Amino acid sequence: MSEPEDMSERRAPSRDEIVAMLATLGDRPIEEVGDQIGSLELTWLVTQIEERYDITLDLSDEDLSRMMTVSGAVTALRDVLAEAGRA
Amino acid sequence: MTDRLSGVASAPVSAPPAEWVDAALLAGDDAEVCLHMGRPVTRQELRALVGQQQDMLAGAGLAAGGTAVLVLPPSLTYVATLLAAWRLGAQASLLDHRLARGEIERAMSRLAPQVAVTPTQVNGTPMSGYAEVLPAAARQPAGRPAGTPHALIQLSSGSTGPSKVIARTAADLLWELDRYAQLSEYPGRGERIVLLASIVHVLGLVGGLLHSLHAGVQLAFVSRLTADGIREAVTGGSEPTMILGVPFHAELLTATASGRPLPQLTRMVVAGELTRPGVPAAFTRAYGVPLGSMYGMTELGVIATDLSGLHRPAVAPAPGITVRVGEGELQVKMDASPYVGLVDPTRWNGGWLHTRDAATVDPATGLVTILGRLDSQVSIGGLKVDLTEVEQTLCAVPGVASAVVVFGDAIEAYLVLDEGGSIAGVEAALTEQLASYKQPRIMRALRQLPRTATGKIVRDRAVLRAQASAQ
C-alpha cells in the first residue's frame, strides 16, 4: 500500500533528509556535509523546513543551539514541529 | 576616473572630530526615516540616541583622542554608540560579537581600549538581522589613548601569528563614501537598501550603514534572516530597493523563489567572496533584476564593482581607485599603510596595498578579474578566515598532537590526538578559542598525518579523506 502523498510532510525530517537539505547548499555531494551546522547552513535549513512544512518556525535560542549539529537538528526539529502540530 | 587625492581634498578632513560625523552622517531632516529595525527610526531619534550614548561614553571617561572597543551585536545601540564615539573624537575598535571568549580576550589585550562597550542584555535570536541591546560602558584601567589619528580599528584573521590591526582615518572613510556616491547604480536619496551583511564588517558598515546615512538612503534590517524574511523586508517599503549581502544570500533567495513579484526590487549586490557560476542567471530569472557584485577589502573598502552584472566575472575599479597587477597579485594604490604596529612590506609597500588576490587587468578596458587567493585565507559567508589561524589554534588545544586544516566547501580538520584526547573534547575547547564561523565543520581523527616522501604533510583533501575512511 502506498503512503498518502502528504505523509512525508506530516512527519519530522529524518537525519538523511536533513543532510540532503544541507547538501543542496552549494549543490554538494551528501558526503561533503559535515556534522557541525554553521550559521549559514542553519539559515538554509530553517528556510528549507519552513518551505516544506509551510510554516514559520518559532525557534528559541535553545532550539537554535541544539541545531548546531545534524543530530541535534533531528531532535530539535522533531520537537518544534510536534509542538506546532506539524509532525 | 578621478585621482584619489581629489577625493580626499573634497572631504572635511581638517574639521573637528564631531563635525565630520554631523556633516556627513547625521545631517538631514528631523522626520526623515534613516533606519528601519522592526520600526522606522528618524534622524531626529538617531541624533538623540547618539547624544545619549555620547553621555554614556563620556561618563566612562572617553574623550577626544581616547579609545573605545565595541563588542555589540548589530543593533540601534551599536549604531548610536559608534557614531557617539566618533563624535567625541575617539578611536573606535569593532569586535564581532560572535568571536569566542578567547579571541575577545586576546583582542582586548592587544587593543588596550580605555572603554569597553558590551551588552548587559540582548533581545533577539541568531536568526534576526538585528537585536535590541542594553549596553554598558566600562572603564578599562589598563587602557591606553589612541596612538594614531585613526577613527576606526578592525582586526583581520591572521595567517602568521596575531591578527593584523587595520586602521582607517575619518578622511579615508569619507573618501570611500565619496566613491559610493559616484556609483550611479548604487542607491541614492529616496531609495532603500535591505542589508543582510553585518554592520561590524566593512561591506555592511560602509556600503550599508554609513553610505545610507551619508546619501539619505533608508537602511532596512531584516527581522528574520530567512528567504521569506528577506522578501518581507523588501516589500516593507515602497521605495526602489537594493538587497546588499553575500553570495550565500543570493543562493538562498534563488533556491526558494516563490514567483511572488517584488516590484520594489531594483537589484541585489553581493560581495565578500566569488559567486558560484550559474547563480546570477538563476537569480535574474527568478526576480527579473540583476545580481551585481563588488570587490573590496577591510583595509580600503570598496575597490571595484559590477553592479549590474554586465562585466561578470570582471569588475571595474571604483571612481578614484588605481590598480595594477604585480607578479600575478592585484595591488591597489594607497598612500599610507592601513596597518598599525605591523611593518610588513609584503602587505603594503611604496604606496601600494598588496591584496593577496590573484587577478588580471584587461589593458584595454581596465576591468579586473579576481582569480582567487594567493594565501591560506578563505571566505565563510563573506567573513574572512585564515586557515593557518585555525590550524595553529587547533594544534594548541590540549589533547591534539598535530593537525591539518583544509578547505573544500567548508573548513575541514584532520588531527592526530594525544592519548586520552577526543574529538568531542577538542570541539568543546575550540568553542572557547574560535568564533563559530571559523570552527571546522568536519573533524576527523587520524592515527598519523599523511606525509610526502620528503616528510611534508599532505594537504590534499582527497588523500586526507581516504585516510580517515580507511581507519
Side-chain angles (χ1 to χ4, degrees):
Chain A
M1 187 182 285
S2 64
E3 188 181 62
E5 271 185 19
D6 65 348
M7 280 303 284
S8 63
E9 297 193 359
R10 299 298 299 174
R11 59 177 170 74
S14 66
R15 182 184 180 86
D16 286 350
E17 287 169 321
I18 286 175
V19 169
M21 286 182 200
L22 290 170
T24 60
L25 171 56
D27 293 330
R28 295 172 291 172
I30 282 172
E31 56 270 22
E32 297 266 314
V33 176
D35 306 322
Q36 305 288 316
I37 297 179
S39 59
L40 295 183
E41 289 175 307
L42 186 56
T43 301
W44 187 270
L45 180 61
V46 169
T47 294
Q48 300 281 328
I49 295 287
E50 290 188 347
E51 190 172 63
R52 174 171 164 176
Y53 290 86
D54 191 21
I55 186 178
T56 299
L57 293 174
D58 184 16
L59 297 167
S60 64
D61 281 357
E62 188 188 342
D63 295 328
L64 290 165
S65 297
R66 289 166 68 196
M67 291 175 68
M68 300 308 279
T69 64
V70 172
S71 304
V74 173
T75 54
L77 286 171
R78 186 188 61 208
D79 296 348
V80 169
L81 290 168
E83 198 171 312
R86 297 303 179 99
Chain B
M1 192 177 289
T2 58
D3 184 80
R4 177 194 167 164
L5 291 173
S6 65
V8 173
S10 67
V13 292
S14 59
E19 291 187 14
W20 78 270
V21 181
D22 289 356
L25 303 175
L26 287 173
D29 291 345
D30 282 355
E32 183 179 72
V33 173
C34 53
L35 303 173
H36 202 288
M37 285 190 177
R39 64 179 181 83
V41 179
T42 63
R43 287 196 180 266
Q44 182 181 34
E45 183 184 353
L46 180 60
R47 284 193 284 260
L49 287 168
V50 171
Q52 287 173 18
Q53 296 311 98
Q54 215 168 310
D55 290 343
M56 177 188 77
L57 293 171
L62 190 66
T67 52
V69 65
L70 276 58
V71 196
L72 297 170
S75 56
L76 194 49
T77 299
Y78 165 89
V79 174
T81 308
L82 176 60
L83 298 179
W86 284 343
R87 253 187 129 243
L88 283 169
Q91 187 176 79
S93 299
L94 305 181
L95 295 184
D96 194 312
H97 72 291
R98 294 167 292 190
L99 291 177
R101 193 178 60 186
E103 290 173 301
I104 289 177
E105 286 171 357
R106 286 194 294 276
M108 295 285 274
S109 165
R110 186 102 182 273
L111 297 168
Q114 294 174 314
V115 174
V117 185
T118 55
T120 57
Q121 187 181 327
V122 178
N123 292 326
T125 73
M127 296 295 292
S128 302
Y130 60 90
E132 290 180 14
V133 173
L134 282 179
R139 178 91 186 159
Q140 307 296 299
R144 294 192 297 266
T148 65
H150 298 105
L152 176 66
I153 300 285
Q154 292 169 287
L155 299 181
S156 72
S157 178
S159 60
T160 52
S163 306
K164 293 191 303 296
V165 179
I166 298 168
R168 301 185 69 183
T169 60
D172 185 51
L173 292 169
L174 289 166
W175 177 41
E176 187 181 359
L177 291 175
D178 187 49
R179 295 202 293 280
Y180 275 113
Q182 290 186 55
L183 294 169
S184 61
E185 295 168 311
Y186 210 72
R189 185 166 294 279
E191 297 181 84
R192 271 169 102 231
I193 292 177
V194 167
L195 183 64
L196 309 179
S198 167
I199 49 175
V200 177
H201 301 279
V202 66
L203 172 66
L205 174 65
V206 186
L209 176 64
L210 301 186
H211 170 74
S212 296
L213 293 175
H214 178 61
V217 175
Q218 192 184 124
L219 185 68
F221 295 76
V222 298
S223 300
R224 295 189 92 235
L225 274 169
T226 60
D228 275 344
I230 297 167
R231 286 188 284 260
E232 279 169 19
V234 171
T235 57
S238 57
E239 300 85 355
T241 300
M242 180 187 91
I243 302 174
L244 181 61
V246 298
F248 164 79
H249 296 123
E251 296 209 28
L252 183 72
L253 286 167
T254 304
T256 58
S258 62
R260 186 167 62 119
L262 298 175
Q264 302 91 335
L265 188 63
T266 56
R267 75 186 69 243
M268 179 170 186
V269 170
V270 295
E273 58 192 330
L274 298 176
T275 307
R276 286 199 307 136
V279 172
F283 181 87
T284 298
R285 275 198 303 276
Y287 294 99
V289 297
L291 178 66
S293 63
M294 297 201 291
Y295 168 77
M297 291 177 72
T298 302
E299 286 84 340
L300 194 56
V302 62
I303 293 170
T305 67
D306 178 34
L307 299 178
S308 289
L310 298 176
H311 307 304
R312 189 173 295 111
V315 284
I321 291 286
T322 303
V323 299
R324 70 180 187 187
V325 171
E327 296 180 1
E329 179 192 42
L330 183 69
Q331 300 172 8
V332 186
K333 192 164 185 352
M334 190 175 192
D335 293 343
S337 170
Y339 304 114
V340 174
L342 172 86
V343 181
D344 182 353
T346 69
R347 288 283 181 183
W348 180 89
N349 190 6
W352 292 90
L353 176 70
H354 292 242
T355 64
R356 301 271 167 99
D357 278 316
T360 59
V361 176
D362 185 317
T365 63
L367 293 174
V368 180
T369 300
I370 306 295
L371 304 171
R373 290 297 293 179
L374 291 166
D375 62 9
S376 53
Q377 187 186 84
V378 299
S379 186
I380 306 293
L383 300 173
K384 303 294 185 257
V385 180
D386 203 297
L387 297 182
T388 309
E389 179 195 5
V390 179
E391 191 170 291
Q392 287 176 349
T393 306
L394 192 54
C395 287
V397 169
V400 175
S402 54
V404 169
V405 173
V406 294
F407 184 79
D409 293 309
I411 297 174
E412 301 177 12
Y414 297 86
L415 53 159
V416 178
L417 295 168
D418 289 329
E419 197 174 331
S422 70
I423 291 287
V426 173
E427 285 175 347
L430 269 190
T431 61
E432 295 288 316
Q433 298 298 327
L434 284 178
S436 168
Y437 62 87
K438 297 179 184 174
Q439 291 170 23
R441 293 281 165 262
I442 294 173
M443 203 180 290
R444 299 275 185 268
L446 304 177
R447 276 191 287 274
Q448 58 185 19
L449 295 179
R451 292 181 184 273
T452 66
T454 57
K456 286 185 180 173
I457 292 173
V458 173
R459 293 179 178 274
D460 185 313
R461 283 173 65 232
V463 174
L464 290 160
R465 281 176 168 246
Q467 184 144 334
S469 301
Q471 288 187 184

